[in-house]
């Protein structure tokens, strides 16, 4: 069954801990991204882990292979469960990330490749010089490249997860942001789907932030999304 990950898109460790405690047993997996990690550093990862939760560290590493290898190793020492890298970092960088992750054994961090951000559309790709491919085609090309060189899975739009789940090997992880419960606002995401649609198409993990964190009753919101996923 697919798992729900709540994006801790908040500005402080105290707020993150407050949110995790408020949601309680309704969710056991949380994403820590650039905003929160830049503000609080590794301490916020430790705080969430100390509450018995799993952590998806979403920093989207893109650097020389040696630097990324060391960064993944540092994440593994913190006990993170999922980590992101950019697929455009090329073969050596992806392989270096996987090498570092493998040092922690089967329970070490899983490496997820980012292909095309869910905030981007056809016009955005053209702006950065990617022409002749739709977002879906670019996602598939980079996904196949990344998994061929060691990535455990992909971060991808729910609009592309169906295509990728058919094209890539069994056991590949598909983490999908851009998930919005039926009837909710899409915010700054351009390629979105409901939880039911994403799971039906092959997503293994759904990342949801504002629809839960900004809800008047976050526990009820989380449970409603899990019900949609089922």
């Amino acid at each position: 069954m697919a798992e729900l990950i709540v994006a801790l898109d908040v500005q402080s460790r105290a707020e993150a801990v407050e949110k995790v405690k408020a949601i309680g047993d309704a969710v056991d997996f949380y994403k820590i991204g650039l905003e929160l990690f830049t503000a609080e550093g590794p301490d916020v990862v430790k705080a969430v882990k100390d509450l018995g939760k799993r952590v998806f560290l979403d920093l989207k590493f893109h650097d020389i292979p040696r630097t990324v290898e060391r960064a993944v190793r540092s994440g593994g020492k913190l006990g993170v469960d999922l980590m992101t890298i950019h697929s455009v970092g090329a073969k050596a960088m992806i392989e270096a990330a996987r090498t570092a992750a493998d040092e922690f054994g089967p329970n070490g961090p899983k490496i997820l490749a980012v292909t095309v951000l869910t905030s981007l559309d056809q016009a955005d790709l053209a702006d950065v010089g990617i022409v002749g491919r739709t977002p879906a085609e670019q996602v598939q090309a980079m996904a196949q490249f990344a998994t061929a060189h060691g990535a455990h899975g992909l971060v991808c739009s729910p609009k592309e997860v169906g295509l990728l789940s058919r094209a890539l090997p069994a056991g590949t992880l598909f983490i999908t942001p851009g998930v919005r419960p039926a009837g909710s606002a899409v915010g700054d995401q351009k390629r979105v789907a409901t939880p039911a649609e994403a799971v039906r198409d092959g997503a293994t993990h759904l990342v949801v932030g504002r629809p839960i964190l900004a809800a008047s009753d976050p526990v009820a919101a989380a449970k409603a999304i899990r019900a949609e996923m089922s």
Side-chain angles (χ1 to χ4, degrees):
M1 180 177 175
E3 296 190 77
L4 174 62
I5 301 175
V6 171
L8 283 175
D9 294 330
V10 298
Q11 297 183 338
S12 71
R13 177 185 181 279
E15 189 177 1
V17 169
E18 178 186 358
K19 295 290 187 183
V20 173
K21 287 182 175 179
I23 295 171
D25 294 338
V27 175
D28 69 357
F29 217 144
Y30 288 86
K31 179 178 82 73
I32 294 173
L34 281 171
E35 178 183 5
L36 182 55
F37 193 84
T38 301
E40 297 287 1
D43 283 349
V44 72
V45 176
K46 295 174 184 176
V48 175
K49 294 292 291 186
D50 286 346
L51 292 170
K53 307 301 182 180
R54 290 177 289 165
V55 171
F56 169 21
L57 186 61
D58 185 21
L59 302 183
K60 301 181 180 68
F61 297 140
H62 183 190
D63 212 310
I64 63 173
R66 184 177 179 84
T67 297
V68 170
E69 181 177 356
R70 289 181 171 186
V72 170
R73 188 174 294 119
S74 294
K77 290 176 181 177
L78 288 172
V80 303
D81 301 273
L82 303 174
M83 302 180 74
T84 47
I85 62 173
H86 270 290
S87 57
V88 292
K91 175 182 175 180
M93 191 202 80
I94 297 169
E95 291 176 343
R98 176 60 185 263
T99 295
D102 285 347
E103 293 175 6
F104 297 88
N107 295 321
K110 299 297 184 287
I111 302 300
L112 309 173
V114 176
T115 57
V116 178
L117 297 174
T118 56
S119 60
L120 305 183
D121 59 15
Q122 187 77 57
D124 296 314
L125 293 185
D127 286 343
V128 296
I130 299 173
V131 295
R133 281 181 180 169
T134 65
E137 290 169 340
Q138 178 69 5
V139 166
Q140 183 172 6
M142 297 310 297
Q144 290 173 323
F145 173 79
T147 54
H149 293 293
H152 295 94
L154 290 304
V155 177
C156 58
S157 159
K159 293 297 186 182
E160 285 102 32
V161 69
L163 175 66
L164 294 181
S165 65
R166 293 189 296 272
L168 296 175
T172 302
L173 301 177
F174 299 102
I175 286 71
T176 59
V179 175
R180 293 291 183 269
S184 68
V186 300
D188 58 3
Q189 304 287 353
K190 295 182 179 178
R191 306 197 316 278
V192 302
T194 66
E197 290 168 339
V199 172
R200 177 199 64 202
D201 288 341
T204 60
H205 299 74
L206 308 188
V207 179
V208 181
R210 281 166 286 190
I212 293 175
L213 296 186
S216 57
D217 186 342
V219 172
K223 289 181 176 179
I225 289 172
R226 294 179 71 171
E228 283 191 54
M229 292 167 64
S230 299

